[in-house]
Amino acid sequence: MTLTADAGTTTLDLGPARALTCRECGHQIPLAAEFACAECFGPLEVAYEFGNITRAQIEAGPKSIWRYRNLLPVPSDVDAHPNTEPGLTRLVKTDRLAAALGVKSLWVKDDTGNPTHSFKDRVVGVALAAARQLGFRVLACPSTGNLANAVAAAAARAGWQSVVLIPSSLERAKVLTTAVYDGALIAVDGNYDDVNRLATELAAEHEDWAFVNVNVRPYYAEGSKTLGFEVAEQLGWRLPDQVVVPVASGSQLTKVDKGFRELIELGLVDAKEYRVFGAQATGCSPVAAAFKAGHDVVTPVKPDTIARSLAIGAPADGPYVLDVVRRTNGAVENVSDEEVVEGIRLLARTEGIFAETAGGVTVATAKKLIETGQLDPDAETVLLITGDGLKTLDAVEDKIGPRATVPPSSEAVRAALAD
Amino acid sequence: MTLTADAGTTTLDLGPARALTCRECGHQIPLAAEFACAECFGPLEVAYEFGNITRAQIEAGPKSIWRYRNLLPVPSDVDAHPNTEPGLTRLVKTDRLAAALGVKSLWVKDDTGNPTHSFKDRVVGVALAAARQLGFRVLACPSTGNLANAVAAAAARAGWQSVVLIPSSLERAKVLTTAVYDGALIAVDGNYDDVNRLATELAAEHEDWAFVNVNVRPYYAEGSKTLGFEVAEQLGWRLPDQVVVPVASGSQLTKVDKGFRELIELGLVDAKEYRVFGAQATGCSPVAAAFKAGHDVVTPVKPDTIARSLAIGAPADGPYVLDVVRRTNGAVENVSDEEVVEGIRLLARTEGIFAETAGGVTVATAKKLIETGQLDPDAETVLLITGDGLKTLDAVEDKIGPRATVPPSSEAVRAALAD
């Protein structure tokens, strides 16, 4: 299982990162390109020794995730290397959406503003920085969309080779927005599970290929903490009462929670009890099912939903999602594909933000959590919108269009508007 | 021609704006919703009385164009009203593109990070703020794409009605990304010229409709100054030596220049001689043609280019573009549609930035300006990338795709990569 790349004789500088620790058995190993515990096969996570970190220090940093470099497994000069400079996206006060949902104080973290328009730029940015230190020279991933875009763009910007594996059935738009960066984009005859297995096989065979979500996953995953950091900083260095996070592998939700806890531990925000909620599409809701059944394990499902970026039937971090939502008095809820489309449209109509299907899942789930009394409408709430509607136009295609088609006369326009 | 909306009895607060001045005859009128001089029919422009403005003041402002509110025709509390918070997009040091083009120091201003992924969010943001003060209650425009997205989104966020007119032949993707915001999107049977004429007619008939690019155009246009402001601030409060700007109506180029001059006048940057270059697609290059012929007037053309967002055959600000490039020792150059696609691909391949066709025009024009000795390769240069490739996928569709389609085996992947 060891996939350590040749780091040469250079000293490994991953900033405050000190070791990898198994989340299951606690076994610790030195920093390396490993992702599974040699003792128990549990997932490895980055362990840190943070120095003294102040708000002023962070605020004086770059206008990207690198302002949090002292909280990430990256070298202190990370922003000196060419990268896509993701992060510090808008946190928008969404009063019209709040009114529509019947909540008092609502914010949307709008990650559509990232370089390739999804939160994946954050995790790929951290993966690339760590991969450089670990001695890799090729950036790779299996993906069905957002991750493919982010990896191909980040590699292009850094001057690295990329190898991106996609199912050959992928929509042409997602293929084009990856292919344009001119890395090695390989279409694989098979479904996403086939592509994933192939990636793990290739990672084992190619010591210089950093598969961001496979052999450098512990570093990659830490990038999602920056969503939590930014929410807190943008609220004026305080935590919200409640946060709703979409769940695919579950990694993002657990890392937002980890980010919040680190800020408390470091004294950067006041300690408080916050609640973390997970959002899934019913067509791929294994974590919601486990939560509702009171189970600790997550039973895999075969995904069938329009929310393809969340369609992971066997979510690696599912059990940890359950831990977080139970510890914080949150919940995991799920919504139908129809509700997903309504969620996209509600957010667009009220706030001018066009989210991809995953964002529709988040908005619709928030609605359901409020209606079922699980989410407190009087508590300050943040919704994470992690990807862009331009990439999933097919989801809304049949539902929307011009109000009317008219001849070029002002009378005709007025008649159309009066209808 | 007077289209003054009912501003009620409230005092008009448009910040430092003091009057509208005719660019042709200098005739001055009070601030109002007018766009053409009553004396000579010349275009009106906002005149200011700036107070004392410091770098520190600006830097302490919001992370959006509103940090420059004291340089725009908007009230000082502009960011208290819901808006899409555009601007402060990345200024990226593009060393790999610089090497490919053979220039020493190159930056890309990447406006794909705006809320609806083009610079139009800037101008619409200013138009909305001014329209609110001028007493309008409906935001409207004729458009073929980016402007439609920006107007519909901004109106949704503000809780305003919107009326967006598009040609009925518009691509489905651009229709959808406007329709999703649920304003009154009206498809008009006719070409863009028909739609434009219809907009002017409707603006005259509906006193409460603010057509952003018609009856509130003087305010709207000022939004483009923020591109110049941001470039200067992000360079560390100094102006670049050269800037390359795409030319559609020509407004953006003249406003970037105006922004630079205002910064010098206010002592926010050191005075210096900078050069402004315009970029057009050959299929719609009336300004480049006039520049090359040494003419002061621009002869309209019938556009035929894939760079549809630049396809304005009779550019209103064409003569002013000629003034600026001649005064600053710049030029206007044009490139073929093939070069446009190559420009898109070059930027994507070297820097991981996926621009729309207008961005391809800018990159390809910069290349041609260097090759023909018009742009100094040793001087610091900034390229303005003003829109996103996700909206013009059709331009690259036939040129790019997966490197190979293979069965799910690592041998097959290796074989494909070795080819």
Side-chain angles (χ1 to χ4, degrees), chain A residues 136-408:
Chain A
F136 291 103
R137 289 297 171 261
V138 176
L139 207 63
C141 72
S143 170
T144 62
N146 286 327
L147 183 58
N149 298 166
V151 163
R157 168 93 177 122
W160 282 37
Q161 280 192 286
S162 67
V163 177
V164 172
L165 307 174
I166 54 170
S168 57
S169 61
L170 201 60
E171 305 98 305
R172 189 140 177 79
K174 286 184 186 162
V175 175
L176 292 174
T177 51
T178 304
V180 74
Y181 300 111
D182 207 28
L185 174 61
I186 307 289
V188 178
D189 279 329
N191 60 24
Y192 182 62
D193 287 334
D194 296 325
V195 177
N196 245 333
R197 270 191 300 272
L198 181 58
T200 307
E201 197 183 323
L202 284 163
E205 293 171 3
H206 293 264
E207 287 203 338
D208 58 340
W209 290 14
F211 274 88
V212 296
N213 50 347
V214 181
N215 50 349
V216 290
R217 187 174 181 86
Y219 308 95
Y220 162 90
E222 291 290 292
S224 285
K225 289 194 309 186
T226 60
L227 276 163
F229 297 153
E230 289 180 20
V231 165
E233 180 180 350
Q234 291 172 318
L235 283 176
W237 294 108
R238 60 183 177 76
L239 301 183
D241 298 320
Q242 306 174 127
V243 58
V244 185
V245 187
V247 173
S249 74
S251 172
Q252 181 178 89
L253 184 145
T254 66
K255 295 298 181 177
V256 167
D257 170 65
K258 192 180 182 210
F260 284 174
R261 285 186 288 123
E262 286 176 354
L263 293 181
I264 293 174
E265 279 159 32
L266 289 162
L268 290 165
V269 298
D270 288 341
K272 73 178 278 185
E273 289 190 2
Y274 58 84
R275 300 171 70 198
V276 181
F277 294 84
Q280 295 206 298
T282 303
C284 183
S285 52
V287 187
F291 174 78
K292 292 174 185 180
H295 294 164
D296 291 333
V297 293
V298 174
T299 309
V301 300
K302 193 159 180 266
D304 178 19
T305 168
I306 57 169
R308 295 197 199 183
S309 63
L310 301 184
I312 298 184
D317 288 281
Y320 305 113
V321 168
L322 295 172
D323 288 349
V324 170
V325 299
R326 285 175 179 146
R327 172 169 52 74
T328 65
N329 197 23
V332 188
E333 189 50 273
N334 55 287
V335 289
S336 71
D337 281 4
E338 267 175 43
E339 290 171 300
V340 171
V341 173
E342 279 313 302
I344 291 173
R345 297 183 64 185
L346 177 63
L347 179 62
R349 181 168 70 239
T350 53
E351 301 295 347
I353 297 170
F354 184 21
E356 65 157 24
T357 44
V361 170
T362 302
V363 172
T365 298
K367 187 165 184 281
K368 191 166 179 181
L369 286 166
I370 293 157
E371 287 167 357
T372 53
Q374 298 178 82
L375 195 134
D376 180 357
D378 294 327
E380 185 172 59
T381 304
V382 174
L383 310 184
L384 299 192
I385 300 300
T386 55
D388 202 291
L390 267 171
K391 297 195 200 177
T392 59
L393 285 175
D394 47 327
V396 294
E397 192 154 31
D398 298 333
K399 306 281 183 4
I400 60 175
R403 189 164 297 188
T405 300
V406 303

Side-chain angles (χ1 to χ4, degrees), chain A residues 408-409, chain B residues 142 165 188-201:
Chain A
S409 88
Chain B
L165 307 175
V188 178
D189 280 328
N191 61 25
Y192 182 62
D193 287 334
D194 297 324
V195 177
N196 245 333
R197 270 191 300 273
L198 181 58
T200 307
E201 198 182 323

Side-chain angles (χ1 to χ4, degrees), chain A residues 172 175-183 185, chain B residues 306 336-346 349 354 357 392-403:
Chain A
R172 189 140 177 79
V175 175
L176 292 174
T177 51
T178 304
V180 74
Y181 300 111
D182 207 28
L185 174 61
Chain B
I306 57 169
S336 71
D337 281 3
E338 268 174 41
E339 290 171 300
V340 171
V341 174
E342 278 314 301
I344 292 173
R345 297 182 65 185
L346 178 62
R349 182 169 68 239
F354 184 21
T357 44
T392 59
L393 285 175
D394 46 328
V396 294
E397 191 154 32
D398 298 333
K399 306 280 182 6
I400 60 175
R403 190 163 296 189

Side-chain angles (χ1 to χ4, degrees), chain A residues 90-157:
Chain A
R90 302 185 296 169
L91 181 72
V92 185
K93 187 81 170 11
T94 48
D95 291 342
R96 281 166 45 77
L97 179 62
L101 294 178
V103 304
K104 247 187 193 159
S105 176
L106 189 69
W107 302 82
V108 160
K109 178 66 174 168
D110 176 14
D111 243 17
T112 67
N114 272 317
T116 70
H117 309 317
S118 88
F119 88 100
K120 291 290 186 186
D121 292 315
R122 300 175 181 272
V123 285
V124 169
V126 174
L128 171 63
R132 184 184 283 114
Q133 285 295 312
L134 292 165
F136 291 103
R137 289 297 171 261
V138 176
L139 207 63
C141 72
S143 170
T144 62
N146 286 327
L147 183 58
N149 298 166
V151 163
R157 168 93 177 122

